[in-house]
Each structure stands twice: as C-alpha cells, then as structure tokens.
C-alpha cells in the first residue's frame, strides 16, 4: 500500500508531467516566434504562475456556475493585443495539438468560451474592441471584443436616427452574439443582428487573415449564425446600420391571474407575431406572491414589455385596434430617444439613467444560471395555459420569456443563413433560472427545476426536431466527444435542433476548411470523415 503522502506526491508528479506534455514551454516559444515583433506577444500571455491569471479569467465569467475552484482553468490565457497574436495562437495551437477556447464577451450560457473538461488554452479577445462608424455609408466595422453597449452608444454619439438590432443586454460581446444570430427588440422590423452583417475579417485554420471576398461566400454564410468558433476566429464584423425614429415609445404592463392574465396572454398569442413590425411586445411570465400579507399563496404574473418605433399616439391606435385586451393607456406609455430605450430595456437601471451606463463592461449583478429555448408554432389553448401556470407555480423558480417573431423574421428564407427559425415560428421561449446559492447541490436542484418545466412544455412546442437557438447555448441537447467515428452523429443530435436543414451544409463547409477539427468545442460543427476521404 502506498501512503497518502506518497500518493499525493505521485499525483502532483503526474499532474506536472501531463501539464508539461500538453503545455510544453515550446508552445510559448512558438507564440513568440510567430508574432509580429512590433507588438510583443509576451505582454498578452498569462500563465497560471502570473498573479493576474485568475483575475483576467474571472473578469469575463458571466455565469457564476463556472466560477468555482473545481472548474478547470486554462493552462495559458492569451489576451490578444494584435491580429498577429490571434494568428500565432492558431498556428501554435495546431502545431502542439492543444485545445483553444475563444472568448469575446464571455456570456455563453454554458461557458463554452472559457470552460473545458480537458486541458486547454484561452484566446481572449477583450483587448480587440475598436469601433469605426461611418455615418455616410451607414455602416460600421466593429471588433469582436467590443460590447453591444459600446457599439450602440458609439452609434448614438454620431446619429440620433441610426441604430443596430442587437440583444438587450449591453455587456454581451459582439464576437459571440453576432456569429450565433443575435436577436433583440427590433427583430420584427430588421431581423437578427447577423442579418445585417455585410462583411467580416477573421483568421482561419491556416492562420490567414481573410475578409468576405477572400474567404468566399460559403464560409461567410457559415459564420453568420453557424457559430464562428467551429470555423475561425472573428476579428471584426462590418455591419449595416438601420434607421430608428427620433422618438420611440416603451411600456411595461403587468397583469396577474386575478387581473385576467390568462385571457390577455391568450389574446397576445394570436396577435403578437402579426402586429405592425414597428411594434415588439415581449411577454415575461413568472411566479410571485399573491400579496405581501399572504406569502404562501402564489400567483402568475404576465409582464408585457414593449418597444414601439414611433410615438405613443400611433402606438395606442395600433393597440386599440389589435390588442384591446391589454387595456393599454396613455399613462403606461413613455416616449424617449432610441438610445434611452436601450438603457430602459437593459432592465438594470432606473428610468432616466444617462446612456453612458452602456459603456460599463461588467453587469451590475451576476448569478449562477441556466437557460433553455423552444419555438412555438401554434397558439396554446386556455386549458393548456392554465396547466402551464399550475406547473410554474409548483416549480416556482424557473420563468419564461416569450419573444414574438413574424415581420422581417418571417420574410427571410430559412436557408439564407444557418439560423433556420423563420416563417411558421410564432414565438421563441426562453427558460430562465437564476440563483445565488453556491455549490453543486444548489446547481443540480435548479437545473432539475428548469428541465422539469422544459419537459412539461413538450406538447406545446416544435417537434422533429425540437428547435433551439444557438445563442441560448444548452448542453442538455448533447455534447460532442469529437471521436472520428461518432462525432458526426453526436453533432447531428444538437445540430439539427439549432440549424435544421442547414446542418449538413455547415458540416460540408467545416470538413473543407478545418478537416483537422482544430476549431472545436462541446457543440461545434463536426467534421464528416467519410466526406473527407472521398475528396
Ligand atoms: C445577461 C445575458 C443577456 C443576453 N441577452 C441576449 C439577447 O437579448 N439576445 C440574444 O440573442 N442573446 C442574448 N444573450 C446570449 C448571448 O447572445 C450569447 O451568449 C452570445 O454568444 C454571447 O457572446 P459573447 O461574446 O459575450 O460570449 P462568449 O462566451 O465570449 O462566446 C460565445 C460563443 O462564441 C464563440 N466566440 C466568441 N468570440 C468569438 C470570436 N471572436 N470568433 C469565433 N468564435 C467566438 C465562443 O467560443 C463561444 O462558443 C444573453 C446572454 C446573457 C448572459
Ligand atoms: C469568483 O470567484 C472568486 C474566487 O472564489 C471570487 O473572488 C470572486 O469574487 C468570484 N466572482 C464573483 C463575481 O462572484
Ligand atoms: C376580467 O375580465 C372580465 C370579463 O371580460 C371583466 O368583467 C373584468 O372586469 C376583468 N377584470 C379585470 C381586473 O380587468
Ligand atoms: C414571497 O414570499 C417569500 C416568503 O414566503 C419570500 O421569501 C419571497 O422573497 C417573496 N417573493 C417576492 C417576489 O416578494
């Protein structure tokens, strides 16, 4: 029998050897050799011996579920300061057969940009965040490490009537958001963020910097919604700005079950996707105490949160004609500039907070979280809704956000980009569970509650496949082992949920541009090895 002390010495030795094997010093030397001498790469390298290693890692962790001592840490962080550093990371990562994770804003719900079950190094993009806006051509180049808030604020500084359709959380990174779709409260008018991307610069598996012309239309198609992390490292996107009115109107109206929520939600289901495309009404459903005095009895609250691209008079006339059940009044409506509506929608800040708050790179509050997604193709009956309320009240914690589609979303063909959820999808469901308790038991408890609600919803949502949204990363849909024999079928499992019939085109492009599968993560596009052999 070995004694515990000998055992732990032994395991330290094994750990050390395996670290040396996977992360040889020659990797660092390779990085130095392959980068541009006028931009010293050594300043961008953080090994675990560097006292800043953990603070750099933690500064873009946005799900505290992955901020634990048992979460595997990267063996090296390269916080690229120059394009040549990204090129070096790819060339040397390939040479040394290391797994590279790519992080821009770190908002991936499953942490796939900075968490791994096997040794890896992290390519961090937060230093590359310049934004170059050209009002004359109504376009902009924006680097991956910029946040949505920085981008929108930058646009508003130059024009009060130009904007860009993105998600509603200003700290989200441009890098991950735009490559997986990116939706927000202007999607019914302008589509997804990625529907408005007109060019991109990235570094491919051969370490080349390419743009739309040199990468070709196939690859440009793939990174617009297919998740660039399977194909390349995106340095920057060129986007087409969109027109916004000088005055927009927002409202948030809440109704509980006692205030006819069921009737109103039932009506919302039939109109929300057909309304004028200037009008977006999100529905948030959560469980609250019935009153402050009777904390034991719960009720369901339906919150209708809206952005209207116009003034309150036109909004009220549209609402009275199409959705009188909500009973919207003038006093519910708040008129403001478009950039103020961005601040309002971010929900973190009180009304009237100056737009500069959009420049804060860190959200005011972080929690542990789990998200899942679904698509609804037919309105749910009143009985169906009542069953859902009962289940939600029983589970209490997980809540639902319904985001209506229609408008521009239904006009764009399902094959235009890899994101396939277009005509026929009435709204998307987001399952939301946040918690503050630490530890694996709490995490398992809340994951279980979220999955229970998702299972309950099965009869009401899309099937064969049950569709999902890539920006709402959900590892319950499957994880790829990247084994040559099983990788394709494993990838197909989650791939058809995220991409439907576009999955196979993504696989073909992947197999052509990255046959060695250097760009991989838990849910990347797999290589089809047979296809490779045929060619
Ligand atoms: C609080 C919060 C609110 C959100 N709100 C919305 C919303 O309103 N609408 C919406 O659509 N989504 C929303 N999301 C989801 C968000 O869009 C996605 O998580 C998005 O991928 C985050 O981008 P990121 O750069 O911050 O994330 P990261 O975690 O850095 O990256 C996400 C994925 O993209 C890859 N990636 C990142 N950068 C690059 C790059 N430069 N090149 C290649 N691959 C890259 C990563 O490897 C990872 O797989 C929200 C998320 C959070 C946490
Ligand atoms: C993440 O964990 C570290 C180490 O335990 C801790 O110091 C830090 O405050 C945590 N981050 C957040 C945002 O809670
Ligand atoms: C609920 O609806 C009924 C019938 O449509 C109506 O009489 C009642 O006033 C409504 N209640 C509230 C609180 O709006
Ligand atoms: C509801 O009541 C419980 C106590 O039973 C309390 O812990 C909780 O914070 C209350 N929730 C809200 C939203 O007020």
């Amino acid at each position: 029998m070995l004694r515990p002390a000998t055992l732990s010495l032994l395991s330290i030795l094994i750990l050390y050897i395996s670290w040396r094997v996977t992360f040889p010093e020659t990797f660092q030397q390779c990085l130095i050799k392959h980068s541009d001498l006028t931009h010293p790469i050594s300043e961008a390298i953080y090994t675990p011996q560097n006292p800043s290693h953990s603070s750099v890692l933690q500064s873009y962790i946005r799900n505290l579920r992955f901020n634990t001592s048992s979460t595997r840490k990267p063996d090296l962080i390269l916080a690229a300061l120059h394009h040549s550093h990204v090129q070096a990371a790819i060339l040397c990562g390939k040479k040394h057969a290391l797994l590279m994770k790519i992080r821009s804003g770190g908002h991936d719900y499953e942490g796939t940009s900075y968490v791994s079950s096997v040794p890896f190094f992290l390519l961090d993009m937060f230093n590359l965040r310049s934004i170059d806006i050209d009002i004359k051509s109504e376009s902009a180049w924006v680097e991956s490490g910029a946040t949505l808030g920085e981008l929108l604020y930058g646009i508003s500084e130059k024009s009060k009537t130009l904007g860009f359709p993105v998600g509603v959380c200003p700290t989200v990174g441009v890098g991950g958001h735009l490559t997986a779709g990116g939706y927000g409260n202007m999607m019914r008018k302008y589509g997804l963020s990625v529907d408005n991307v007109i060019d991109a610069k990235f570094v491919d598996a051969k370490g080349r910097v390419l743009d739309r012309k040199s990468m070709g239309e196939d690859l440009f198609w793939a990174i617009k919604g297919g998740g660039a992390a399977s194909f390349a490292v995106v340095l920057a996107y060129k986007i087409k700005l969109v027109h916004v009115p000088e005055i927009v109107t927002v409202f948030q109206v809440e109704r509980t079950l006692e205030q006819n929520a069921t009737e109103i939600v039932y009506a919302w289901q039939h109109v929300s996707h057909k309304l004028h495309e200037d009008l977006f009404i999100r529905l948030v459903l959560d469980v609250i105490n019935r009153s402050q005095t009777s904390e034991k009895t719960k009720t369901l609250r339906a919150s209708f949160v809206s952005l209207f691209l116009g003034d309150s008079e036109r909004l009220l006339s549209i609402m009275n004609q199409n959705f009188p059940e909500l009973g919207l009044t003038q006093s519910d409506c708040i008129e403001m500039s478009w950039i103020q509506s961005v601040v309002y929608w971010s929900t973190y800040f009180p009304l009237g907070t100056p737009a500069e708050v959009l420049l804060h790179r860190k959200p005011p509050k972080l929690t542990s979280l789990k998200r899942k997604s679904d698509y609804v193709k037919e309105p749910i009956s009143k009985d169906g809704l009542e069953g859902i309320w009962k289940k939600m009240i029983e589970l209490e914690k997980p809540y639902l956000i319904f985001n209506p589609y229609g408008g521009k979303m239904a006009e764009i063909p399902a094959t235009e980009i890899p994101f396939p959820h277009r005509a026929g999808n009435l709204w998307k469901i987001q399952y939301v569970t946040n918690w503050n308790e630490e530890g694996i038991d709490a995490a398992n408890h809340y994951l279980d509650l979220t999955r229970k609600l998702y299972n309950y919803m099965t009869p009401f949502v899309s099937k064969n496949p049950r569709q999902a949204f890539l920006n709402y990363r959900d590892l319950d849909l499957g994880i790829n082992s990247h084994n040559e024999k099983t990788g394709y079928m494993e990838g197909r499992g989650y791939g058809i949920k995220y991409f439907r019939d576009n999955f196979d085109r993504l696989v073909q492009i992947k197999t052509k541009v990255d046959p060695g599968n250097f760009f991989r993560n838990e849910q990347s596009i797999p290589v089809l090895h047979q296809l490779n052999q045929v060619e």
Side-chain angles (χ1 to χ4, degrees):
M1 272 276 287
L2 287 171
R3 304 182 36 195
T6 326
L7 261 181
S8 63
L9 257 179
L10 203 67
S11 57
I12 287 172
L13 195 71
I14 291 169
L15 261 175
Y16 177 70
I17 291 170
S18 63
W19 185 79
R20 285 296 298 245
V21 171
T22 42
F23 279 86
E25 267 161 36
T26 47
F27 176 58
Q28 270 195 65
Q29 286 158 7
C30 178
L31 290 176
I32 291 164
K33 196 175 125 204
H34 279 88
S35 65
D36 183 340
L37 284 180
T38 51
H39 304 276
I41 201 168
S42 53
E43 289 166 24
I45 295 176
Y46 299 85
T47 60
Q49 289 72 39
N50 186 315
S52 301
H53 179 270
S54 54
S55 64
V56 171
L57 177 66
Q58 281 165 21
S59 48
Y60 291 92
I61 291 180
R62 295 293 178 255
N63 184 347
L64 295 185
R65 185 151 59 99
F66 305 114
N67 189 44
T68 69
S69 51
S70 57
T71 312
R72 184 189 287 274
K73 309 290 183 290
D75 288 304
L76 183 145
I77 302 173
L78 181 66
L81 293 156
H82 186 254
H83 296 176
S84 69
H85 299 172
V86 176
Q87 294 176 286
I90 295 171
L91 292 173
C92 300
K94 259 173 82 171
K95 187 167 171 210
H96 291 272
L98 302 176
L99 174 63
M100 178 178 83
K101 289 287 182 130
I102 314 161
R103 180 166 77 171
S104 286
H107 285 64
D108 191 290
Y109 286 134
E110 299 278 13
T112 67
S113 52
Y114 59 91
V115 179
S116 169
S117 59
V118 295
F120 71 109
F121 76 99
L122 173 60
L123 174 64
D124 226 337
M125 301 293 286
F126 64 86
N127 285 317
L128 299 176
R129 57 184 195 233
S130 73
I131 299 170
D132 186 6
I133 299 160
D134 182 32
I135 292 297
K136 224 171 122 208
S137 64
E138 300 185 352
S139 67
W141 273 104
V142 50
E143 284 190 313
S144 286
T147 64
L148 303 182
E150 289 167 346
L151 172 62
L152 302 186
Y153 180 82
I155 298 168
S156 76
E157 279 279 270
K158 298 208 161 178
S159 164
K160 302 295 165 219
T161 53
L162 289 174
F164 191 65
V166 290
V168 301
C169 173
T171 57
V172 166
V174 162
H177 190 70
L178 265 59
T179 190
Y183 85 91
N185 54 22
M186 296 204 292
M187 104 180 118
R188 301 193 65 252
K189 179 143 179 149
Y190 293 117
L192 303 168
S193 309
V194 74
D195 292 325
N196 299 279
V197 166
I198 50 180
D199 202 344
K201 267 196 204 99
F202 69 46
V203 186
D204 77 351
K206 294 190 174 133
R208 298 173 300 187
V209 177
L210 303 176
D211 65 3
R212 178 172 183 174
K213 208 165 155 214
S214 48
M215 78 178 77
E217 285 303 307
D218 256 1
L219 204 43
F220 185 59
W221 176 86
I223 61 160
K224 287 196 298 172
S230 299
F231 303 94
V233 176
V234 176
L235 300 170
Y237 298 94
K238 187 179 188 185
I239 57 173
K240 183 93 197 90
L241 304 180
V242 304
H243 290 247
V244 295
E246 253 170 83
I247 295 293
V248 304
T249 308
V250 298
F251 67 79
Q252 172 159 353
V253 171
E254 294 167 4
R255 299 284 187 262
T256 62
L257 290 185
E258 294 67 36
Q259 296 164 316
N260 289 346
T262 307
E263 296 287 330
I264 304 170
V265 170
Y266 185 77
W268 176 94
Q269 295 189 109
H270 290 84
V271 296
S272 58
H273 53 98
K274 291 187 200 145
L275 290 167
H276 192 285
E277 59 186 22
D278 283 343
L279 180 52
F280 179 78
I281 308 178
R282 160 182 284 189
L283 174 54
V284 183
L285 299 158
D286 63 354
V287 176
I288 58 166
N289 296 328
R290 204 157 188 172
S291 71
Q292 279 174 342
T293 47
S294 66
E295 285 178 351
K296 289 229 167 61
T297 42
K298 308 284 170 195
T299 188
L300 185 114
R301 169 173 64 182
S303 307
F304 299 84
V305 191
S306 177
L307 171 72
F308 178 62
L309 297 167
D311 62 23
S312 57
E313 197 186 324
R314 188 159 69 96
L315 169 62
L316 282 168
S317 115
I318 293 177
M319 288 296 284
N320 287 337
Q321 260 176 44
N322 299 281
F323 191 16
E325 294 84 353
L326 188 60
L328 190 75
T329 64
Q330 177 70 52
S331 63
D332 298 319
C333 302
I334 315 169
E335 291 184 343
M336 54 179 65
S337 67
W338 176 75
I339 195 68
Q340 272 302 324
S341 79
V342 174
V343 177
Y344 176 89
W345 261 80
S346 72
T347 69
Y348 293 136
F349 314 108
L351 199 62
T353 305
E356 281 68 30
V357 77
L358 298 173
L359 300 175
H360 294 184
R361 293 181 70 83
K362 201 169 188 146
K365 194 173 175 298
L366 290 173
T367 64
S368 292
L369 56 89
K370 174 66 186 170
R371 300 289 188 271
K372 297 176 81 65
S373 60
D374 257 323
Y375 282 88
V376 177
K377 310 237 175 206
E378 274 169 51
I380 301 166
S381 70
K382 280 183 195 165
D383 282 351
L385 290 177
E386 274 160 7
I388 296 169
W389 308 159
K390 207 171 143 225
K391 193 73 194 174
M392 287 183 72
I393 288 170
E394 175 197 320
L395 299 172
E396 217 178 314
K397 190 83 169 184
Y399 65 96
L400 301 176
I401 304 179
F402 290 4
N403 287 295
Y405 276 33
K408 182 84 175 177
M409 289 300 287
E411 287 162 20
I412 298 175
T415 52
E416 183 82 10
I417 61 167
F419 173 97
H421 316 298
R422 304 287 188 173
N425 294 287
L426 307 188
W427 67 88
K428 173 177 61 195
I429 300 179
Q430 182 179 25
Y431 298 76
V432 183
T433 311
N434 301 326
W435 63 96
N436 296 312
E437 298 96 313
E438 285 176 16
I440 189 81
D441 291 340
N444 284 337
H445 171 67
Y446 290 116
L447 292 178
D448 181 56
L449 292 185
T450 320
R451 288 171 188 148
K452 278 191 172 130
L453 184 57
Y454 181 80
N455 289 341
Y456 183 85
M457 293 297 286
T458 308
F460 307 112
V461 299
S462 66
K463 1 187 145 4
N464 305 316
R466 187 167 181 173
Q467 297 162 209
F469 177 38
L470 184 60
N471 260 342
Y472 289 176
R473 172 99 52 202
D474 177 6
L475 292 186
D476 296 353
L477 304 180
I479 292 179
N480 208 313
S481 59
H482 296 296
N483 176 302
E484 283 201 11
K485 291 213 171 70
T486 57
Y488 171 78
M489 279 316 284
E490 285 168 354
R492 197 173 171 77
Y494 54 81
I496 58 162
K497 296 187 164 82
Y498 289 134
F499 309 113
R500 301 203 55 168
D501 298 341
N502 295 325
F503 174 70
D504 281 321
R505 184 171 171 199
L506 286 167
V507 172
Q508 283 182 9
I509 297 169
K510 166 74 178 181
T511 305
K512 211 160 135 195
V513 302
D514 183 24
N517 202 18
F518 173 67
F519 289 108
R520 65 186 184 278
N521 62 37
E522 290 73 3
Q523 289 189 333
S524 54
I525 302 297
V527 170
L528 185 56
H529 288 277
Q530 281 136 301
L531 188 78
N532 212 15
Q533 279 152 17
V534 171
E535 284 192 342

